[in-house]
Amino acid sequence: MLRHVLDTVYKISGAAAALAIAAIAGSILVQLACRFAGVTFDATELAGFFMATATFLGLAHTFKSGGHVRITLTFDRLKGRPRRIIEVFNCLVAGSAVLFLSCYLIDLVGMSYEYHDISPGLLAVPFWIPQLMVSSGVVIFAIAILDELILILCGRRPSYDSTLSSDETPED
Amino acid sequence: MDTFVASLTLAALVFGFLASGLWVSVTLLVSGIAMMALFTPAPTGSLIASTLWDSSWGWELASLPLFVWMGEILFRSNMSRDMFRGLAPWVGRLPGGLLHVNVLGCAVMAAITGSSAVTCATIGRLSVPELEKRNYPIKDTIGTLAGSGTMGLLIPPSIVMIVYGVTAEQSIAQLFMAGVVPGLTLVCLYMGYVVLRSVIFSNDMPKPDPASSLVVKLKALVSLVPSIGLILMVIGSIYGGVATPTEAAAVGVIGALALSLFYRTLDWGNIKSGIMAAMQTSCMIAMIIAAASCLSIAIAYINLPGALAEWVAGLDLSPYALLAVLGALVLVMGCFLEGISIIVLTSSVVLPLVESAGINLVWFGIFLIILIEAAQITPPVGFNLFVLQSLTRRNILFIARATLPYFLLLIVLILIITVFPQMVTWLPNAMR
Amino acid sequence: AETNWIMASGYPESSFFTQNIRQFIDSVEERTNGELKIDLRSNGSLIKLDSTKRAVQSGQVQIGEVRLSSYGNEAEIYNLDNIPGVANNFDEAWELMEAQKPYFAKLFGKNGMQVLTYVAWPGQGFYTQNELKSLDDVKGLKLRIYSQQTQRLGAGLGAEAIILPFAEVPQAFATNMIDSLWTSAQTGTDVQVWDFLDVFTYTGTLHQKNAIIVNQRAFRQLPEDVQKIVLEEGEKATKRGWEMAQQAGEERAQMLADHGMKLAKAPEDILEAISKVGDELISEWQQNATDEELAVYEAYRKSQD
Ligand code: NA
Ligand code: NA
C-alpha cells in the first residue's frame, strides 16, 4: 500500500516536471508571438520558474530510474556485503544532506511568504509559489532517497542501479 | 595556511565522495554545505537554500531542457537516421567517416546555443546511436562529442564571453569576432586528429563504404533536407534577429515536432517518452549546475580563488610565465568550479595583473575561454563528461580517458594562439 | 568586543557604488578603532543583487546594498524612482529622496531593517544609430526595455519595445534584433555600446537609487557609540555617493565620446512626449498608491514649487 502511494508520488511529480518543460516552451513561444503582434509579454520570470519547477520536481523520478550520474568505478568491483555497505553510506549521506536542504527550503518559502517577496519583472509573481514547487520537489527527493535506503537495508538491489552498469552497452 | 587547509579539505571532500559513488550533484551539495559550515561564520543552511533557489531559475538555463527535448524528439523521429544516411556517401570514404559529423554538428550547434553541455547533449543524442549502429569505436564517438561540445563557449552566442566582456570592460562584439579563427582552428585540429587516428588505427574503424556514384550522392542529399531545414530555421531565427538564443530553443522544439509529424512518428507514446527522457537529462544537469553554485558560493566565501590569484600576483612573473601559471590555475579551479564563477571570482586580481603585463585583454578573454572549455572535460566536475556518461552509460573514467586527446588538443590550441596572437586579434582589428 | 559584519553588494569593484561602500567601510573601521569590521562581498559573489534585501532582512548578512527600484512590485513607493519625469536631474532626485526618507525609514523599520545611505544613479538617455532630431526619429526604433515603466515609455514614444534580459543585449545588437537602448551611461559603457551605436541622447529623466541597508537586530547589538558612527558615516556616504554619481555620469559620458559617440541633447518634443508618458504613469501611480505614499509624493511636489 505505502509502496504504491510512494511510487505514485514519484510518478506524478515526474510528470509534473515534464509538463513544466512543456510550459517553458509554451511561455517562450507566447513571448515570441506577442512580439510579432506588437504586444509586450515577458516570459523571463515565467520560464525561469518553470525551469526550477522542472528541475526539482523531476529529482525523485530521475533518481529512482538511475538518471543522476555518479562514478561507479570503485564499487563496480565490489559484490555482496561491502557493496551494500557503500550503498547504505551513500544513501545516508545523500538522505541527510537533502533532508537538511529541504528544511531550509521550506524555511525559505515561509520567509518569502512572510516578507511578501515578489519577482521584480513584469509579471510580479510572489516568490513563494515557485519556491513551494522547488521545496516540494526536494522533499519528495529526500523521501525517495530514504525509501531506497530502507530497501537496501532490507536486502533489495537499489532501483537506481537497475540500468547503470559500467561496461555494458545500453539497449536503446 | 587557512587557504591551504581549505583547499585540501575541498579536494578531499569532492574526490572522496565521488569515489565512493555518491551522486555528482549530491557530492557538490554536501561539499558546499561542509565547506561553508567548517570555514565560514555564515548561516550555512539558509545560504545554501537561497543560493540553490537563486541559481535554479535563470532565463539562460531555460534553453537547456528545450534543446534536450528537441534532441529527444528528433531521436524518436527518423531524422537522425536519414541525416546519417544522407551524409554517409559524402564523408564515408574520408578517414574517420561519420565521426566528422560530431565535430561539425557541434560547431553548428555551438552557433545556436551558448552552453557546452547543451551542444554536447543535443548532437550526442542524435549521433551516438547512429554511430554505434555503424560500428564506430565508442571511444572516438565520446571523444569527438566531448571535445567539440566545448565549442559552445567559443563560438557565439556565448554567455561566458559576455560575462568576461562586462567584467573586463572589453568589447563583446570584438570578443565574438576574436573567437572565430580559434574556433575554426579547433574544428581543423579535431578533424585532423580524427583523420590521423583512423589512418593509423584503421583496424578499429568500420570498413569504409564502397565509393558511391554521383547519382547516389545526389539522391542521398534528399534525405538531408529535413535536418538542414531545421538547422536553417533555428539558426535563421537567431541571426535574422527574430529570436534570442533562448527563444531559438523553443523554435527548435516546434520544428522538431513538425518533423516528427512529417515522419509520422508523432504518437502519444513517443511524445510521452520523449519529454520524460528530456526531463530526466535536464533535471540531472540542472541539479548539478545548482549544486555547483552552492559549492561556488562556499568557495567564494572562503575566498580560495582570490587567495590563489593573489599568490600568483605575488610571484612577479614574466608575461609568458604568468600566462602559464594562470593557465594551470584556471585548469585546477576548473576541476571544481564552473566557468562563469572562475571569471567572476578571479577577475579583480587577475585582470589588472594581466593588463599590467601588457597582455591584450581581448586576447586574454579567448585564452581564458579556451581554458574554461578544457575545464568542461576535466574530471571530477566536467559537465560534458556527465552528459556523455548519461548518454552512453559508460563510467566516467572511461569517458575521461576517451576525451583526453581532445583535452590535449585544446591545450595545443592555447599554445598556438600564444605563439600566434594575431589569430585572435586579427579579425576584430580588421572589423573595427 | 570586536564585531564582524558581512556585507553583500551587486556591482563590481570598479563601480562607483562599490568604491563608495569601500570608503564607508574604511571610515567605520578607522573611527571605531576596528571595533566594527565589515567584510564586503561585491559583484553578487555571495548574494545576487535582487536577493540582497531578503538576505539582510533574514540576517543571512548583516548589511547590504540594494537597488530600490527592483522592489516596485512590492510597494508603489519604490516605483517613484522608476517613473520618467518625476525627477529629471540630480537636484530633483535629491528632493525626492528627502521626501521619501521618512517613509522608507518606516517601511524598512517595520521589516526589521534600517537604511543608512541613498545613492542615485546617473540619469538615462537614448542610444541610437542616428541622431534623434525629433520625436519622429524615435518611431519604429527597436528599443530594448527592461521594466513596466520603460515599456510604457517606449510604447508612448512610438518605439517597438522589446523586452530582453541584460545578458542578451549584446547578442541582440549583433543580430539586429534591437537597434536602440534607453539606459544610463553606465550600462551603455558596460556593454561597450559604441560597437553597435553612434549617438547618446541624454534625457536625464529618472535617477533610480541604491540604498545601503542594515539588519536592525545586528545594528542594535552594536555599542551605542559605534551605532552613532555607523549612522554618521552612512550620511556621509550619501553625500559622497551623490557627488560620485554625478562625476561617474560625466566620466561615462566622456568615455562614450572618447569612443567616437556623439553626445546630443534631447529635442523638446521628445522630452514633452516623455513627460506626457510620465504624467499618465504618475496618475496611475496615484490610483494605486496608499495614502501615506501619496503624502510622500505631495511633499515632494511641494518642495518643487
Ligand atoms: Na555558442
Ligand atoms: Na572540470
Side-chain angles (χ1 to χ4, degrees), chain A residues 11 23 31 33 36 40 49 54 62 68 72 93-94 98 107 111 119 122 133 135 148-149 161 166 168 172:
Chain A
K11 221 184 250 167
Q31 170 172 304
F36 280 109
T40 302
F49 292 154
T62 307
H68 290 296
T72 52
V93 172
V98 175
D107 214 37
M111 215 150 65
S119 70
L122 263 53
M133 296 292 133
S135 54
E148 279 302 315
L149 177 65
D161 207 19
S166 65
E168 42 178 65
D172 231 335

mmCIF file of all heavy atoms in Angstrom, chain A residues 11 23 31 33 36 40 49 54 62 68 72 93-94 98 107 111 119 122 133 135 148-149 161 166 168 172:
data_model
loop_
_atom_site.group_PDB
_atom_site.id
_atom_site.type_symbol
_atom_site.label_atom_id
_atom_site.label_comp_id
_atom_site.label_asym_id
_atom_site.label_seq_id
_atom_site.Cartn_x
_atom_site.Cartn_y
_atom_site.Cartn_z
ATOM 1 N N LYS A 11 5.893 9.293 -9.566
ATOM 2 C CA LYS A 11 5.431 9.338 -10.954
ATOM 3 C C LYS A 11 4.758 10.682 -11.237
ATOM 4 O O LYS A 11 5.013 11.314 -12.256
ATOM 5 C CB LYS A 11 4.450 8.189 -11.197
ATOM 6 C CG LYS A 11 4.665 7.522 -12.551
ATOM 7 C CD LYS A 11 3.625 6.455 -12.795
ATOM 8 C CE LYS A 11 4.225 5.050 -12.736
ATOM 9 N NZ LYS A 11 3.193 4.005 -12.659
ATOM 10 N N ALA A 23 5.768 23.744 -20.462
ATOM 11 C CA ALA A 23 5.325 25.099 -20.131
ATOM 12 C C ALA A 23 6.421 26.134 -20.405
ATOM 13 O O ALA A 23 6.126 27.278 -20.768
ATOM 14 C CB ALA A 23 4.899 25.171 -18.664
ATOM 15 N N GLN A 31 5.805 34.592 -25.754
ATOM 16 C CA GLN A 31 6.598 35.828 -25.807
ATOM 17 C C GLN A 31 6.958 36.191 -27.247
ATOM 18 O O GLN A 31 6.832 37.334 -27.663
ATOM 19 C CB GLN A 31 7.868 35.657 -24.966
ATOM 20 C CG GLN A 31 8.872 36.778 -25.150
ATOM 21 C CD GLN A 31 10.045 36.699 -24.168
ATOM 22 O OE1 GLN A 31 9.833 36.672 -22.975
ATOM 23 N NE2 GLN A 31 11.251 36.661 -24.698
ATOM 24 N N ALA A 33 5.445 35.162 -30.035
ATOM 25 C CA ALA A 33 4.236 35.509 -30.790
ATOM 26 C C ALA A 33 3.783 36.923 -30.443
ATOM 27 O O ALA A 33 3.393 37.703 -31.314
ATOM 28 C CB ALA A 33 3.130 34.495 -30.495
ATOM 29 N N PHE A 36 5.664 39.591 -32.231
ATOM 30 C CA PHE A 36 5.215 39.799 -33.608
ATOM 31 C C PHE A 36 3.922 40.595 -33.646
ATOM 32 O O PHE A 36 3.697 41.387 -34.542
ATOM 33 C CB PHE A 36 5.027 38.455 -34.317
ATOM 34 C CG PHE A 36 6.315 37.890 -34.803
ATOM 35 C CD1 PHE A 36 6.867 36.778 -34.198
ATOM 36 C CD2 PHE A 36 7.004 38.500 -35.846
ATOM 37 C CE1 PHE A 36 8.082 36.275 -34.621
ATOM 38 C CE2 PHE A 36 8.214 38.002 -36.275
ATOM 39 C CZ PHE A 36 8.758 36.882 -35.662
ATOM 40 N N THR A 40 3.755 43.419 -25.542
ATOM 41 C CA THR A 40 4.880 43.006 -24.707
ATOM 42 C C THR A 40 4.430 41.957 -23.711
ATOM 43 O O THR A 40 3.538 42.195 -22.902
ATOM 44 C CB THR A 40 5.463 44.201 -23.939
ATOM 45 O OG1 THR A 40 5.855 45.183 -24.891
ATOM 46 C CG2 THR A 40 6.682 43.772 -23.142
ATOM 47 N N PHE A 49 10.791 30.184 -13.649
ATOM 48 C CA PHE A 49 10.078 29.460 -12.599
ATOM 49 C C PHE A 49 9.734 28.043 -13.037
ATOM 50 O O PHE A 49 9.861 27.094 -12.265
ATOM 51 C CB PHE A 49 8.789 30.209 -12.203
ATOM 52 C CG PHE A 49 9.071 31.521 -11.515
ATOM 53 C CD1 PHE A 49 8.158 32.563 -11.559
ATOM 54 C CD2 PHE A 49 10.249 31.713 -10.820
ATOM 55 C CE1 PHE A 49 8.426 33.765 -10.924
ATOM 56 C CE2 PHE A 49 10.525 32.904 -10.182
ATOM 57 C CZ PHE A 49 9.607 33.939 -10.245
ATOM 58 N N ALA A 54 10.699 22.254 -13.042
ATOM 59 C CA ALA A 54 11.035 21.040 -13.777
ATOM 60 C C ALA A 54 12.231 20.346 -13.127
ATOM 61 O O ALA A 54 12.231 19.126 -12.937
ATOM 62 C CB ALA A 54 11.350 21.373 -15.231
ATOM 63 N N THR A 62 13.913 10.972 -11.509
ATOM 64 C CA THR A 62 15.207 10.760 -12.151
ATOM 65 C C THR A 62 16.097 9.873 -11.278
ATOM 66 O O THR A 62 16.797 8.991 -11.771
ATOM 67 C CB THR A 62 15.893 12.120 -12.386
ATOM 68 O OG1 THR A 62 14.989 12.969 -13.081
ATOM 69 C CG2 THR A 62 17.157 11.971 -13.207
ATOM 70 N N HIS A 68 20.584 10.198 -12.259
ATOM 71 C CA HIS A 68 21.628 11.074 -11.711
ATOM 72 C C HIS A 68 22.981 10.393 -11.854
ATOM 73 O O HIS A 68 23.155 9.258 -11.403
ATOM 74 C CB HIS A 68 21.350 11.372 -10.228
ATOM 75 C CG HIS A 68 20.159 12.249 -10.016
ATOM 76 N ND1 HIS A 68 20.111 13.539 -10.467
ATOM 77 C CD2 HIS A 68 18.960 12.010 -9.434
ATOM 78 C CE1 HIS A 68 18.936 14.071 -10.148
ATOM 79 N NE2 HIS A 68 18.206 13.162 -9.538
ATOM 80 N N THR A 72 30.864 5.080 -10.634
ATOM 81 C CA THR A 72 30.614 3.757 -10.064
ATOM 82 C C THR A 72 31.858 2.887 -10.067
ATOM 83 O O THR A 72 31.785 1.696 -9.804
ATOM 84 C CB THR A 72 29.514 3.031 -10.864
ATOM 85 O OG1 THR A 72 29.876 3.066 -12.231
ATOM 86 C CG2 THR A 72 28.197 3.718 -10.681
ATOM 87 N N VAL A 93 24.311 9.601 3.493
ATOM 88 C CA VAL A 93 24.865 10.942 3.277
ATOM 89 C C VAL A 93 23.898 11.772 2.437
ATOM 90 O O VAL A 93 23.531 12.898 2.803
ATOM 91 C CB VAL A 93 26.240 10.861 2.580
ATOM 92 C CG1 VAL A 93 26.722 12.250 2.184
ATOM 93 C CG2 VAL A 93 27.249 10.196 3.485
ATOM 94 N N ALA A 94 23.468 11.202 1.307
ATOM 95 C CA ALA A 94 22.575 11.944 0.424
ATOM 96 C C ALA A 94 21.271 12.265 1.134
ATOM 97 O O ALA A 94 20.771 13.397 1.061
ATOM 98 C CB ALA A 94 22.310 11.133 -0.842
ATOM 99 N N VAL A 98 19.992 16.070 1.764
ATOM 100 C CA VAL A 98 18.789 16.552 1.088
ATOM 101 C C VAL A 98 17.693 16.889 2.106
ATOM 102 O O VAL A 98 16.939 17.850 1.930
ATOM 103 C CB VAL A 98 18.313 15.518 0.042
ATOM 104 C CG1 VAL A 98 17.013 15.950 -0.585
ATOM 105 C CG2 VAL A 98 19.372 15.336 -1.024
ATOM 106 N N ASP A 107 11.794 26.686 4.975
ATOM 107 C CA ASP A 107 12.012 27.941 5.677
ATOM 108 C C ASP A 107 11.995 29.126 4.703
ATOM 109 O O ASP A 107 11.407 30.178 4.979
ATOM 110 C CB ASP A 107 13.388 27.857 6.347
ATOM 111 C CG ASP A 107 13.416 28.599 7.662
ATOM 112 O OD1 ASP A 107 12.393 28.546 8.358
ATOM 113 O OD2 ASP A 107 14.443 29.227 7.962
ATOM 114 N N MET A 111 9.618 32.349 4.569
ATOM 115 C CA MET A 111 10.190 33.689 4.617
ATOM 116 C C MET A 111 9.654 34.543 3.462
ATOM 117 O O MET A 111 9.227 35.675 3.660
ATOM 118 C CB MET A 111 11.704 33.560 4.486
ATOM 119 C CG MET A 111 12.490 34.557 5.266
ATOM 120 S SD MET A 111 14.069 33.839 5.743
ATOM 121 C CE MET A 111 14.886 33.585 4.212
ATOM 122 N N SER A 119 8.523 38.736 -7.474
ATOM 123 C CA SER A 119 9.521 38.771 -8.532
ATOM 124 C C SER A 119 9.542 40.164 -9.163
ATOM 125 O O SER A 119 8.502 40.820 -9.282
ATOM 126 C CB SER A 119 9.212 37.711 -9.580
ATOM 127 O OG SER A 119 8.056 38.058 -10.295
ATOM 128 N N LEU A 122 7.897 41.940 -15.102
ATOM 129 C CA LEU A 122 6.592 42.457 -15.489
ATOM 130 C C LEU A 122 5.432 41.647 -14.921
ATOM 131 O O LEU A 122 4.317 42.130 -14.839
ATOM 132 C CB LEU A 122 6.487 42.485 -17.029
ATOM 133 C CG LEU A 122 6.795 43.830 -17.692
ATOM 134 C CD1 LEU A 122 8.138 44.373 -17.255
ATOM 135 C CD2 LEU A 122 6.775 43.692 -19.209
ATOM 136 N N MET A 133 7.046 24.855 -5.182
ATOM 137 C CA MET A 133 7.278 23.756 -6.122
ATOM 138 C C MET A 133 8.669 23.154 -5.877
ATOM 139 O O MET A 133 8.847 21.945 -5.808
ATOM 140 C CB MET A 133 7.222 24.270 -7.569
ATOM 141 C CG MET A 133 5.881 24.816 -7.995
ATOM 142 S SD MET A 133 4.710 23.461 -8.080
ATOM 143 C CE MET A 133 3.347 24.137 -7.227
ATOM 144 N N SER A 135 10.616 23.346 -3.200
ATOM 145 C CA SER A 135 10.826 22.640 -1.941
ATOM 146 C C SER A 135 10.034 21.340 -1.913
ATOM 147 O O SER A 135 10.514 20.348 -1.355
ATOM 148 C CB SER A 135 10.494 23.539 -0.746
ATOM 149 O OG SER A 135 9.212 24.053 -0.874
ATOM 150 N N GLU A 148 14.909 4.351 -0.731
ATOM 151 C CA GLU A 148 15.952 3.460 -1.242
ATOM 152 C C GLU A 148 16.766 2.868 -0.107
ATOM 153 O O GLU A 148 17.099 1.682 -0.114
ATOM 154 C CB GLU A 148 16.903 4.230 -2.172
ATOM 155 C CG GLU A 148 16.398 4.422 -3.587
ATOM 156 C CD GLU A 148 16.083 3.120 -4.290
ATOM 157 O OE1 GLU A 148 16.899 2.183 -4.193
ATOM 158 O OE2 GLU A 148 15.026 3.046 -4.923
ATOM 159 N N LEU A 149 17.101 3.728 0.845
ATOM 160 C CA LEU A 149 17.920 3.286 1.983
ATOM 161 C C LEU A 149 17.271 2.097 2.672
ATOM 162 O O LEU A 149 17.917 1.076 2.945
ATOM 163 C CB LEU A 149 18.099 4.459 2.957
ATOM 164 C CG LEU A 149 18.868 4.147 4.244
ATOM 165 C CD1 LEU A 149 20.304 3.788 3.947
ATOM 166 C CD2 LEU A 149 18.820 5.329 5.197
ATOM 167 N N ASP A 161 19.998 1.388 -9.569
ATOM 168 C CA ASP A 161 21.123 0.636 -10.078
ATOM 169 C C ASP A 161 20.712 -0.290 -11.213
ATOM 170 O O ASP A 161 21.529 -0.937 -11.823
ATOM 171 C CB ASP A 161 21.704 -0.202 -8.940
ATOM 172 C CG ASP A 161 23.180 -0.481 -9.159
ATOM 173 O OD1 ASP A 161 23.780 0.251 -9.953
ATOM 174 O OD2 ASP A 161 23.695 -1.417 -8.544
ATOM 175 N N SER A 166 28.783 -0.462 -15.580
ATOM 176 C CA SER A 166 29.859 0.272 -16.239
ATOM 177 C C SER A 166 30.131 -0.170 -17.666
ATOM 178 O O SER A 166 30.289 0.664 -18.536
ATOM 179 C CB SER A 166 31.114 0.191 -15.401
ATOM 180 O OG SER A 166 31.525 -1.160 -15.358
ATOM 181 N N GLU A 168 28.499 -2.342 -19.974
ATOM 182 C CA GLU A 168 27.600 -2.939 -20.949
ATOM 183 C C GLU A 168 26.963 -1.836 -21.783
ATOM 184 O O GLU A 168 26.805 -0.704 -21.321
ATOM 185 C CB GLU A 168 26.544 -3.790 -20.243
ATOM 186 C CG GLU A 168 25.991 -3.129 -19.000
ATOM 187 C CD GLU A 168 24.923 -3.957 -18.332
ATOM 188 O OE1 GLU A 168 25.240 -5.049 -17.851
ATOM 189 O OE2 GLU A 168 23.777 -3.507 -18.325
ATOM 190 N N ASP A 172 18.950 0.525 -26.345
ATOM 191 C CA ASP A 172 18.126 1.723 -26.549
ATOM 192 C C ASP A 172 17.298 1.603 -27.803
ATOM 193 O O ASP A 172 17.792 1.237 -28.826
ATOM 194 C CB ASP A 172 19.001 2.962 -26.625
ATOM 195 C CG ASP A 172 18.494 4.021 -25.669
ATOM 196 O OD1 ASP A 172 17.283 3.990 -25.350
ATOM 197 O OD2 ASP A 172 19.277 4.869 -25.250
#
